[in-house]
Amino acid sequence: MSPRLRWRKFVSGFMLTMTGVCAVVAVSVLFLILGYLAVHGGASINWNFFTKLPVPVGETGGGLANAILGSAKMLLLATIFGVPIGFFGAIYLAEFSGGTTAFIVRYAADLLNGVPSIVIGIFAYSLVVHPFKQYSTLAGGFALGLMMIPITLRSTEEFLRAVPNPLREAAMALGASKWKTIVTVIVPAAYRGILTAVLLAFARVAGETAPLLFTALGNQFWSPGWTHPTASLPVMIFTYALAPYDDWHRQAWAAGLVLLVLILVINIVARAILSRGIAVPRS
Amino acid sequence: MATTTSTVPSAGPVAGSRSFLSRLRQGDEIARMITFLFAASVVLVTLLLVFELWQGSVLPRHKFGFNFFRTSVWDPIFEQFGALPFIYGTLVTATVSLLIAVPLGIGAAIFLAELAPARVSDTLEFFIDLLAAVPSVIYGVLGVFMVVPLMRQYVQPALKHSFGFLPLFQGPAYGVGFLTAGIVLAIMVIPYIISVSREVLLSVPRDQREAALSLGATRWESTWKVVVPFARAGIFGSIFLALARALGETMAVTMVIGNTPVISASLFSPGYSIAAVIANEFTEATGDLHTQSLIELGLVLFILTFILNGFARLLIVATSKRGSGLGHA
Amino acid sequence: MKRIAGLLLVVLAVAGVLWADNPLSITGAGATFPYPMYSKWFDEYHKKNANLEINYQSIGSGGGIKQVTEGTVDFGATDGPMNDDQLKAFQDKHGFGILHFPTVLGADVPAYNIPGMTAELNFTQDAIAGIFLGKITKWNDPAISGPNKGANLPANDIVVVHRSEGSGTTYIWTDYLSKVSEEWKTKVGKGASVNWPVGLGAKGNESVAGTIKNTPNSFGYVELIYAIQNNMPYGRVRNSSGAFVKADLASVTAAAAGAAKNMPDDFRVSITDAPGKTAYPISSFTWLLVPAKFSDATKRDAIKGFVKWMLADGQNYTEALSYAKLPKEVVAKELKALNNVQ
């Protein structure tokens, strides 16, 4: 073996090992985050955390129950607002629309998807908070729902399109109208993918903080109804992490762990649902 | 990306062949109209967003014009608003993050696409996708409690010691600053580079590799000199995607950048980014000029990310078309 | 699938009913300076009035002024009184005015984090101004070490920490600096949000305290209680009589003595650099901003009820958190002014 070849082989082995190192480093970050939060925040996850309200500044104890409920309410609103728009819009794109309209709608969805979340916050403030002179759960839910729309729309459209044509044609041959075909054949065939899309969109907005700063504000009590400011998990994590109180830090880590685990579990479940379904292209 | 063949037309027999009334009776026309409304609302809401950004920034656009992008004084008392420090901060942190994330990301993608057996590759990709799902505020927490002390106690002094002659590494070691923000951003965008690059690398036709290897190239040479260049456009696309993400990041950045509108050659200096200043000042910007200047910053950010995302998509699509067009792996 | 949807709707309806505006919820926002006090007050008041929740968000005085002017919150809070332009803006927008109600007396203290140093440092007016102007950069500068004979000050760079957003605490600090340093007055000026010559920005008193605590060689200003609650060393400041005074209940009350006698009708007054040998020079009142007119009578009565309670029982909670009580004359005057809220 010539020395040149030996060198090239060495370089090859070395560089390929380095790529392996890169991969390991990248993946280990995930476990680093989980580990840190678990070690520091795990101990603070107790019954109080889930049931108590925050206590006055500087005192210890208390929990983040109102933040958990606030986040849940806003996510519910976001799903109710964002998912139908994405879902029915996708049906239009996949089943009814012509080329130009489809292009425009998809382009708008991609645009909306790329908007930084802080800008969504500005938009929601000027549309919902400012005219009604009220920070509210509704405004927060609206902002989050906006972010769910493009993800739901694009993914659902892809899964609908992936339903094989023979299924459609068979339904038509049996005399079903278009909408009946959609409702009874196409959507059920694609439901796994659609469910995955919704879950992934949900997980994505569950952790969003920036849009909530200008819409839901915050609340140290329970937020009554839907038209008042409310605490939320991501905003509390942000506030507590930057404060000097150790007790707040512990709560921030605990909340971070809860939020992260929730999001990861949803992601894993979504992928599991998908992998057991029909083989569809990943978007 | 192996998608089903590109043209799946509106499925089924051509709808126009039946009369309008018959379609109406069968409910199809209603279904079409309802779903059209939903689809149209997406377009409407997006247009409304752009409109609000444009309208909401009319004062500073008329008062400062393009000087908005050239001046660096941000003074709410004297009503002088110059966006330069924020644009600078946004670009610097994004650049630092890419400098770190791109080599790491492409390296990992190469490993996953070329070397790792399918099962390992899929499992690792699974974890990478999970990493992409971690919310920004959690990265911020990681930044504040782990990265900042590390930077302040070990990394910054070490860099200063070895490279302190460069203006890049001068100044006191605060822990927070451009470099720290860049590092945290790098961690956040690596998953995007890896997953997209891995896909485009996987879509490079097998014959390319085989041809190189049959000509005597080593594994690495075949990868680096043939496969990667073939997928070059898609990899650039992934970088643009990552850049777009880095530019718009708010929470993690504002927690570690130091929140000071400063333009400095040193990476140790605290700085500010567009997203961070909006988050900090929006709820309390007194005076319309201040508020609208912040909205104009939002508009700038929106336009930047819009352009980058557009490029990214073009490049990624171009690569996959190229890959599938030449016969498939 | 349909059953799940149905179930969801039922849950929604129940949730809507259960949480439909049962307690009266009032929202206020503003200063972080008195936040520990307000959070304690509103918590206690809620215990006494279970049907009333006063939700206070500490977003900074600038935010308080802006949001109450916008009308997105029911009341505001600030440690930098609204200036004439801001008052006029409110009047123009709503057709009626907005009233200031002092709540407590507090102090901005110079907190620092010098590794190994727990001693109380003495700061002259020039030292503080010089540090914040960026002219004094090292801890062992003669301007600092002069009045601190015996303290082993290191030759490290000072890391200045200030607020990143519109802040009444900043207003108090810069108001003081403008009075004691001509250079500061012309170069930077006083305000809730200034063009800082040097330093790191952090959001809220909480975050400034956090940053100082975590950053060696740092120096910044926070409200007294934040320094105490977090065991942070803070220094003495030289007052107009030349004495180095530490911020505490007595020295803050002494600073307000003159103002108590001559309180203007709108309660907007500055007590920084107050005369008096024992006065702490960086003290201040902090105010609630209450609109003069409410369209919702229940909200108006709830807020008026709180202010009355605050001026009486509420004052008994202040000293535990190191805020000084309001002088008696001021309390009497405020109770009268409360009648102007309709």
Side-chain angles (χ1 to χ4, degrees):
Chain A
M1 216 193 292
S2 71
R4 171 125 186 98
L5 182 60
R6 237 199 302 265
W7 170 250
R8 283 167 57 214
K9 282 206 156 159
F10 167 74
V11 167
S12 178
F14 177 74
M15 290 309 281
L16 292 173
T17 319
M18 290 310 288
T19 62
V21 168
C22 291
V24 166
V25 164
V27 172
S28 61
V29 172
L30 180 66
F31 297 102
L32 186 72
I33 300 176
L34 273 174
Y36 185 87
L37 289 177
V39 163
H40 285 99
S44 307
I45 298 187
N46 47 30
W47 189 240
N48 274 353
F49 177 82
F50 288 105
T51 53
K52 285 237 165 72
L53 292 175
V55 289
V57 175
E59 298 180 17
T60 53
L64 285 178
N66 59 344
I68 295 176
L69 184 65
S71 273
K73 283 160 79 171
M74 284 193 286
L75 285 171
L76 185 66
L77 280 178
T79 313
I80 293 175
F81 170 63
V83 170
I85 295 184
F87 178 69
F88 289 112
I91 292 182
Y92 179 76
L93 285 183
E95 304 298 321
F96 290 112
S97 79
T100 340
T101 338
F103 177 74
I104 296 177
V105 175
R106 267 187 228 123
Y107 192 74
D110 282 343
L111 203 69
L112 195 58
N113 197 27
V115 175
S117 56
I118 191 84
V119 177
I120 299 260
I122 297 180
F123 180 53
Y125 177 83
S126 33
L127 213 62
V128 184
V129 177
H130 190 79
F132 297 107
K133 302 274 181 272
Q134 178 83 306
Y135 288 101
S136 61
T137 315
L138 273 174
F142 171 72
L144 294 180
L146 273 181
M147 300 180 72
M148 285 183 84
I149 293 178
I151 309 175
T152 317
L153 183 93
R154 296 295 256 123
S155 298
T156 307
E157 189 204 345
E158 286 222 30
F159 287 117
L160 287 174
R161 281 193 183 284
V163 172
N165 259 347
L167 277 176
R168 290 192 180 81
E169 289 162 5
M172 294 279 179
L174 289 170
S177 64
K178 193 83 175 280
W179 73 268
K180 215 169 195 162
T181 317
I182 296 174
V183 168
T184 55
V185 175
I186 302 181
V187 170
Y191 99 88
R192 273 218 172 83
I194 298 175
L195 187 60
T196 308
V198 172
L199 284 175
L200 287 175
F202 185 87
R204 163 102 165 75
V205 299
E208 282 296 330
T209 322
L212 299 180
L213 295 174
F214 313 145
T215 48
L217 197 65
N219 199 330
Q220 74 253 42
F221 300 109
W222 299 107
S223 173
W226 306 88
T227 55
H228 287 280
T230 176
S232 60
L233 220 45
V235 174
M236 294 305 265
I237 296 175
F238 174 60
T239 312
Y240 279 10
L242 291 178
Y245 305 102
D246 286 327
D247 193 54
W248 281 15
H249 288 173
R250 277 192 293 271
Q251 292 196 35
W253 292 323
L257 185 62
V258 168
L259 186 62
L260 187 60
V261 167
L262 177 74
I263 292 177
L264 291 181
V265 163
I266 295 179
N267 268 280
I268 295 174
V269 165
R271 277 163 226 284
I273 292 179
L274 191 59
S275 65
R276 282 168 57 226
I278 49 177
V280 285
R282 247 176 318 163
S283 41
Chain B
M1 272 181 279
T3 52
T4 50
T5 50
S6 40
T7 47
V8 176
S10 251
V14 178
S17 61
R18 293 174 291 148
S19 76
F20 178 79
L21 271 173
S22 117
R23 272 183 282 143
L24 189 59
R25 251 184 280 125
Q26 295 214 326
D28 276 352
E29 199 55 34
I30 300 181
R32 168 189 264 266
M33 285 195 286
I34 294 181
T35 54
F36 173 73
L37 280 172
F38 279 100
S41 69
V42 177
V43 180
L44 278 171
V45 113
T46 312
L47 284 174
L48 190 62
L49 187 143
V50 179
F51 175 73
E52 287 280 325
L53 284 178
W54 186 255
Q55 268 305 94
S57 60
V58 66
L59 278 177
R61 274 187 292 116
H62 285 167
K63 181 159 187 205
F64 302 122
F66 277 110
N67 272 331
F68 189 69
F69 304 107
R70 285 195 287 231
T71 42
S72 49
V73 172
W74 186 266
D75 195 334
I77 298 189
F78 297 110
E79 299 235 298
Q80 278 298 107
F81 296 107
L84 206 52
F86 311 108
I87 299 178
Y88 178 79
T90 310
L91 290 177
V92 165
T93 48
T95 310
V96 170
S97 77
L98 285 183
L99 284 174
I100 299 173
V102 168
L104 269 176
I106 297 184
I110 291 176
F111 178 78
L112 291 177
E114 301 292 307
L115 284 179
R119 212 91 69 76
V120 172
S121 179
D122 284 341
T123 319
L124 288 180
E125 179 61 30
F126 173 71
F127 288 127
I128 299 285
D129 284 341
L130 286 184
L131 205 56
V134 174
S136 175
V137 71
I138 306 257
Y139 280 113
V141 167
L142 187 77
V144 167
F145 290 109
M146 285 197 72
V147 182
V148 169
L150 264 175
M151 294 297 292
R152 185 177 48 233
Q153 280 160 8
Y154 302 110
V155 179
Q156 281 177 343
L159 281 172
K160 203 163 178 185
H161 187 75
S162 322
F163 299 107
F165 56 90
L166 290 170
L168 278 179
F169 299 120
Q170 286 174 358
Y174 295 107
V176 296
F178 290 121
L179 185 59
T180 315
I183 291 178
V184 173
L185 275 178
I187 304 177
M188 296 177 75
V189 302
I190 279 184
Y192 293 89
I193 299 186
I194 294 181
S195 47
V196 175
S197 297
R198 172 178 175 266
E199 291 224 33
V200 297
L201 284 172
L202 280 175
S203 76
V204 172
R206 197 142 25 118
D207 4 3
Q208 298 288 316
R209 291 182 192 82
E210 289 171 356
L213 289 172
S214 69
L215 288 170
T218 60
R219 214 50 205 287
W220 170 252
E221 282 163 358
S222 133
T223 308
W224 188 244
K225 298 207 166 122
V226 177
V227 178
V228 169
F230 192 90
R232 187 175 42 211
I235 295 182
F236 272 116
S238 80
I239 297 179
F240 280 137
L241 255 171
L243 183 60
R245 170 102 204 253
L247 292 181
E249 252 323 307
T250 315
M251 306 317 294
V253 173
T254 186
M255 288 165 92
V256 299
I257 197 173
N259 298 327
T260 318
V262 149
I263 299 182
S264 164
S266 165
L267 289 179
F268 290 173
S269 162
Y272 229 151
S273 77
I274 295 179
V277 72
I278 297 176
N280 280 328
E281 293 192 5
F282 192 74
T283 46
E284 36 125 86
T286 36
D288 284 337
L289 191 60
H290 192 178
T291 316
Q292 297 206 5
S293 298
L294 289 168
I295 297 183
E296 186 173 354
L297 280 176
L299 182 63
V300 168
L301 196 60
F302 171 73
I303 295 176
L304 272 173
T305 44
F306 165 55
I307 295 177
L308 281 168
N309 275 317
F311 266 130
R313 228 157 278 276
L314 276 172
L315 289 171
I316 295 174
V317 167
T319 311
S320 53
K321 278 220 175 102
R322 192 177 176 201
S324 58
L326 287 173
H328 219 343
Chain C
M1 209 53 160
K2 279 205 195 121
R3 253 181 288 157
I4 300 177
L7 194 61
L8 203 62
L9 277 164
V10 171
V11 168
L12 248 178
V14 170
V17 166
L18 271 184
W19 281 287
D21 305 55
N22 269 325
L24 174 62
S25 177
I26 296 182
T27 306
T32 62
F33 181 91
Y35 182 43
M37 186 75 259
Y38 291 177
S39 77
K40 180 81 184 155
W41 270 345
F42 294 128
D43 194 63
E44 287 296 319
Y45 199 65
H46 175 63
K47 289 193 191 136
K48 296 184 169 33
N49 299 280
N51 267 336
L52 175 62
E53 289 176 352
I54 305 184
N55 169 20
Y56 179 76
Q57 292 299 308
S58 77
I59 59 177
S61 300
I65 295 176
K66 159 108 187 254
Q67 297 306 324
V68 77
T69 310
E70 290 288 312
T72 39
V73 296
D74 300 309
F75 68 91
T78 176
D79 346 292
M82 288 170 77
N83 60 28
D84 293 335
D85 286 336
Q86 289 166 332
L87 286 173
K88 181 163 184 309
F90 186 91
Q91 175 84 37
D92 289 342
K93 194 170 169 105
H94 294 265
F96 48 84
I98 184 164
L99 304 167
H100 289 71
F101 286 98
T103 53
V104 285
L105 284 159
D108 275 4
V109 300
Y112 46 88
N113 175 355
I114 305 175
M117 169 87 62
T118 45
E120 260 170 34
L121 296 175
N122 295 321
F123 292 99
T124 61
Q125 298 93 320
D126 290 333
I128 300 182
I131 295 175
F132 272 84
L133 279 169
K135 286 166 50 187
I136 299 177
T137 52
K138 292 210 187 284
W139 276 114
N140 62 352
D141 190 289
I144 308 176
S145 58
N148 289 301
K149 303 247 183 304
N152 204 349
L153 289 165
N156 298 334
D157 291 323
I158 306 178
V159 178
V160 173
V161 186
H162 55 72
R163 295 284 287 275
S164 60
E165 84 284 22
S167 145
T169 317
T170 298
Y171 181 86
I172 299 168
W173 191 255
T174 53
D175 179 42
Y176 168 72
L177 285 176
S178 297
K179 283 188 185 163
V180 301
S181 164
E182 194 57 38
E183 191 178 355
W184 182 271
K185 188 167 174 193
T186 38
K187 254 204 194 148
V188 188
K190 77 173 182 215
S193 193
V194 298
N195 199 358
W196 297 98
V198 288
L200 294 176
K203 192 164 162 60
N205 262 305
E206 305 92 331
S207 196
V208 171
T211 307
I212 297 178
K213 224 176 158 187
N214 290 327
T215 314
N217 301 307
S218 56
F219 181 69
Y221 57 92
V222 290
E223 207 285 325
L224 176 59
I225 188 62
Y226 289 93
I228 294 178
Q229 275 178 344
N230 293 288
N231 299 316
M232 294 161 61
Y234 56 98
R236 284 186 272 252
V237 182
R238 191 166 65 184
N239 66 10
S240 51
S241 308
F244 286 97
V245 182
K246 191 154 189 206
D248 57 29
L249 294 171
S251 57
V252 171
T253 312
K261 306 265 186 301
N262 302 313
M263 180 64 78
D265 284 339
D266 63 359
F267 297 105
R268 297 186 298 155
V269 68
S270 157
I271 55 173
T272 52
D273 208 32
K277 260 210 310 258
T278 54
Y280 180 71
I282 323 183
S283 312
S284 177
F285 284 101
T286 181
W287 296 264
L288 283 179
L289 297 169
V290 182
K293 223 184 256 194
F294 279 89
S295 52
D296 183 342
T298 28
K299 274 194 183 166
R300 175 199 64 207
D301 294 335
I303 292 182
K304 283 173 90 161
F306 171 76
V307 175
K308 279 207 196 93
W309 176 87
M310 179 270 292
L311 290 169
D313 288 340
Q315 294 293 306
N316 295 329
Y317 291 95
T318 66
E319 304 200 330
L321 289 171
S322 301
Y323 292 96
K325 289 194 203 195
L326 293 171
K328 277 202 282 282
E329 304 93 325
V330 177
V331 171
K333 208 170 167 133
E334 281 189 61
L335 281 168
K336 270 218 293 245
L338 204 49
N339 295 326
N340 294 333
V341 178
Q342 277 143 21

